[in-house]
Amino acid sequence: MRVLGLSAYYHDAAAAVVVDGRIVAAAQEERFTRIKHDPAFPLNAARECIALAGLRAHEIDFVAFYDKPFLKFERLLETYLAFAPRGFTSFRHALPLWLKEKLFQKSMLIKELSQLDASVDWTPRLLFSEHHLSHAASAFFPSPFERAAVLTMDGVGEWTTTSLAIGSGTELKVIREIHFPHSLGLLYSAFTYYTGFKVNSGEYKVMGLAPYGEPKYAALILEHLIDVKDDGSFRLNLDYFDYCTGLTMTNRRFAELFGGPPRQADALLGQKEMDLAASVQSVTEEVVLKLARSVARETGEKNLCLAGGVALNCVANGKLLRQGSFERLWLQPAAGDAGGSLGAALVAAHMYKREPRQIAGGGDLMQGSYLGPRHDTADSARRLTVLGAKFDVLGDDEIVERCARALADGQALGWHQGRMEFGPRALGGRSILGDARSPTMQKLLNLKVKYRESFRPFAPAVLREDVGEWFAIDEDSPYMLLVADVLERHRIAMTPEQQRLFGIDKLNVPRSSIPAVTHVDYSARIQTVHRETNPRFHAVISRFKALTGCPVVVNTSFNVRGEPIVCTPDDAFRCFMGTEIEALAVGNCFLRKEDQDPALKERYEGKFDLD
């Protein structure tokens, strides 16, 4: 059976194809349209995924959508009635869109699907899953577990904001839920808004900012904003929030509680924002850890799967792993709404049509999350030639050697290889790489390549066989969703004067022998690189290790601020030419910046939207 899964119309639209219960392809629409977090119907992603599966559109048996629009509309109406007349302005803005489009989403979907093949009657093929069931399915069915507890946490689906399910074989049974407006994801988003970042895209910035601060406001949050029970269940005090009835996340009482209005996006970050970030991160971790302990006691399960936007909080995930409530933990790499497309397809395959489920021996079924399109060297060379690029086409061993030496020489390397990753992280398919030993690499990549905030940390990509020699973890972490500390023997002791530094002043103090990937609290967001899922990336790091003695490189997404991760060789070349990346490997094509026509550099410089 062939299923096309879709998520759309909120943010991070995506498509996925599952054939006979096997995950074949998945991709986000933003990569093709170049509109970050594109919410539109994922026509390009759907076409690409169908092609990657070797199918034509008419061969798709079912199309599964990731949530139920009527239930969302019910929430909108009931929320308005519960708070009326307060919130009429918000309701007045939302209602026309719902009446015009979202309430009739089935008709919209059928109209959009006709662009795939107008001769097909898509109506009997269209299925709808519930939002959190889609998340739970994306977490459990690709996992390596026959049985597991499944915890999903995000802003809100139809009504649910947090759910607990038990997965067994091809079954998923939801046993507990927390409903809107009480939401851990929306609490975190409220602080994202208040500290001056964009909701639904800036939450990871808050997480990255947290180690620069102290959780000075955590007690205030727990006293006034959220009531957390011993079992991890919680309720928010809606007197401080505006998301139910207004057009912003927080209100005047929230601002009074924390001593002033929200930070404007263009204002300097201060110690207050750092302390607020540390505080909401601390409270989030407390809730997640309590939930996990409760789930373990209640279910007796030994394995836990996580999905939903909160599951992208890799700091909380690392503490959850170390807490030891569960023997094993598995995290969906596309944990946010994009992954809902995959979850919906898996619901249709396993729960609707009872397709048998495969269990990967020791691993998972995500194939390293390399589920998007690939471009072979011949296609890449043709595209680069059209763009006026100068490059060498090398053999397999030579491209590995040239890239490893570029990294060892301290160069920033663009890396466009194999299939594109599914999810928000670059995992060695569409990455920018650097020397983790360099004390200047973090600043170079942030300010001269990524054009982003200087406080943002970078992740280490480390050979799986060496991870325990460098970090306080010896587990698989292929999806960059676990944080662990750099081992003591690799750290650099701080002087008394350095220990007295506060906030952003901590940034330029080298913390270890791999300073480019060591955060100010000695932590790192780790990706373990596996020979089985990405042999070329593994080979480059192995050769880098042979040259330098270090099996760790910087791995960050191949994009600049405000842009989606690159998809095609064309995207990669434009990003390469418009930034200070010094070398680029696209398949077996190797490019050096110094060899390129200076006129091309002038053409591409400053061409990126940095909002």
Side-chain angles (χ1 to χ4, degrees), residues 169-381:
T170 59
E171 295 291 335
L172 265 174
K173 183 179 180 182
V174 177
I175 61 175
R176 197 196 320 165
E177 294 180 335
I178 297 174
H179 287 174
F180 182 87
H182 307 291
S183 167
L184 187 60
L186 290 177
L187 174 69
Y188 209 93
S189 291
F191 280 88
T192 301
Y193 166 79
Y194 187 71
T195 52
F197 301 111
K198 287 184 179 180
V199 173
N200 291 327
S201 65
E203 283 77 6
Y204 62 96
K205 297 181 184 181
V206 176
M207 183 178 66
L209 191 63
Y212 293 97
E214 299 292 333
K216 296 178 179 179
Y217 301 99
L220 206 61
I221 295 170
L222 291 167
E223 180 181 354
H224 293 279
L225 301 188
I226 183 170
D227 178 21
V228 185
K229 304 301 183 185
D230 289 341
D231 65 356
S233 61
F234 56 86
R235 291 182 64 84
L236 299 187
N237 183 349
L238 301 178
D239 292 340
Y240 291 89
F241 301 94
D242 202 32
Y243 57 78
C244 285
T245 59
L247 301 176
T248 59
M249 292 298 299
T250 63
N251 61 17
R252 178 181 52 80
R253 290 192 65 177
F254 190 104
E256 290 173 352
L257 183 66
F258 294 105
R263 181 182 76 93
Q264 295 300 305
D266 56 353
L268 289 175
L269 283 165
Q271 190 62 47
K272 177 184 176 182
E273 284 76 31
M274 298 172 198
D275 292 340
L276 285 165
S279 301
V280 72
Q281 179 65 31
S282 173
V283 171
T284 299
E285 292 166 8
E286 179 179 337
V287 174
V288 170
L289 295 178
K290 283 185 174 181
L291 275 170
R293 285 195 295 267
S294 171
V295 169
R297 287 194 305 267
E298 182 177 341
T299 66
E301 297 293 336
K302 305 300 182 185
N303 305 311
L304 178 66
C305 301
L306 291 178
V310 177
L312 293 171
N313 193 307
C314 51
V315 178
N317 294 340
K319 292 187 176 181
L320 179 56
L321 179 69
R322 292 189 291 277
Q323 176 180 261
S325 296
F326 292 89
E327 292 178 5
R328 297 181 69 190
L329 187 66
W330 192 82
L331 306 151
Q332 166 53 243
D337 276 11
S341 63
L342 176 60
L346 292 168
V347 168
H350 297 307
M351 300 181 69
Y352 180 65
K353 294 302 290 184
R354 302 297 176 186
E355 289 279 349
R357 177 175 169 241
Q358 304 172 31
I359 303 293
D364 61 49
L365 300 178
M366 289 295 293
Q367 303 159 57
S369 209
Y370 306 113
L371 296 169
R374 72 164 72 244
H375 298 268
D376 62 26
T377 295
D379 179 45
S380 298

Side-chain angles (χ1 to χ4, degrees), residues 286-599:
E286 179 179 337
V287 174
V288 170
L289 295 178
K290 283 185 174 181
L291 275 170
R293 285 195 295 267
S294 171
V295 169
R297 287 194 305 267
E298 182 177 341
T299 66
E301 297 293 336
K302 305 300 182 185
N303 305 311
L304 178 66
C305 301
L306 291 178
V310 177
L312 293 171
N313 193 307
C314 51
V315 178
N317 294 340
K319 292 187 176 181
L320 179 56
L321 179 69
R322 292 189 291 277
Q323 176 180 261
S325 296
F326 292 89
E327 292 178 5
R328 297 181 69 190
L329 187 66
W330 192 82
L331 306 151
Q332 166 53 243
D337 276 11
S341 63
L342 176 60
L346 292 168
V347 168
H350 297 307
M351 300 181 69
Y352 180 65
K353 294 302 290 184
R354 302 297 176 186
E355 289 279 349
R357 177 175 169 241
Q358 304 172 31
I359 303 293
D364 61 49
L365 300 178
M366 289 295 293
Q367 303 159 57
S369 209
Y370 306 113
L371 296 169
R374 72 164 72 244
H375 298 268
D376 62 26
T377 295
D379 179 45
S380 298
R382 180 187 60 79
R383 289 168 176 260
L384 292 170
T385 299
V386 169
L387 292 170
K390 294 181 173 63
F391 56 92
D392 297 321
V393 179
L394 308 176
D396 291 347
D397 292 340
E398 193 176 1
I399 192 76
V400 168
E401 181 71 21
R402 291 279 287 274
C403 290
R405 289 192 177 276
L407 292 171
D409 290 341
Q411 295 183 20
L413 172 69
W415 180 255
H416 185 287
Q417 302 288 328
R419 295 184 69 173
M420 183 173 67
E421 306 91 335
F422 182 51
R425 309 287 185 228
L427 301 170
R430 306 290 184 270
S431 293
I432 299 171
L433 308 178
D435 186 349
R437 303 168 306 151
S438 168
T440 60
M441 184 59 65
Q442 192 255 6
K443 188 172 184 179
L444 167 72
L445 290 177
N446 267 333
L447 300 182
K448 298 295 184 70
V449 174
K450 303 281 283 187
Y451 303 131
R452 70 183 198 180
E453 299 92 344
S454 62
F455 70 84
R456 302 266 296 280
F458 287 106
V462 56
L463 299 177
R464 171 61 183 93
E465 54 268 33
D466 290 326
V467 65
E469 296 297 315
W470 286 80
F471 304 98
I473 185 175
D474 199 9
E475 303 278 342
D476 291 353
S477 180
Y479 304 127
M480 212 181 279
L481 286 172
L482 292 171
V483 163
D485 288 343
V486 175
L487 289 179
E488 194 76 39
R489 64 176 175 268
H490 297 295
R491 297 184 187 182
I492 297 173
M494 295 178 69
T495 66
E497 182 179 358
Q498 290 171 337
Q499 289 175 345
R500 288 192 290 271
L501 295 174
F502 286 95
I504 211 73
D505 293 333
K506 301 175 182 179
L507 177 64
N508 295 319
V509 178
R511 299 305 176 99
S512 76
S513 58
I514 45 173
V517 295
T518 305
H519 210 359
V520 294
D521 57 355
Y522 292 104
S523 68
R525 176 164 51 94
I526 294 161
Q527 179 198 2
T528 53
V529 179
H530 301 246
R531 183 181 289 108
E532 297 78 12
T533 53
N534 197 332
R536 177 165 285 190
F537 192 30
H538 189 278
V540 165
I541 301 176
S542 296
R543 182 61 186 142
F544 177 79
K545 177 186 176 184
L547 292 170
T548 65
C550 178
V552 185
V553 300
V554 177
N555 179 14
T556 187
S557 56
F558 199 160
N559 67 330
V560 298
R561 179 179 157 200
E563 289 256 324
I565 294 173
V566 301
C567 177
T568 66
D570 314 60
D571 300 331
F573 182 70
R574 283 190 285 267
C575 189
F576 167 64
M577 292 303 297
T579 66
E580 295 193 23
I581 297 173
E582 294 152 291
L584 172 63
V586 182
N588 282 36
C589 302
F590 188 80
L591 298 79
R592 301 188 306 167
K593 181 65 67 62
E594 62 198 64
D595 296 335
Q596 307 308 311
D597 184 342

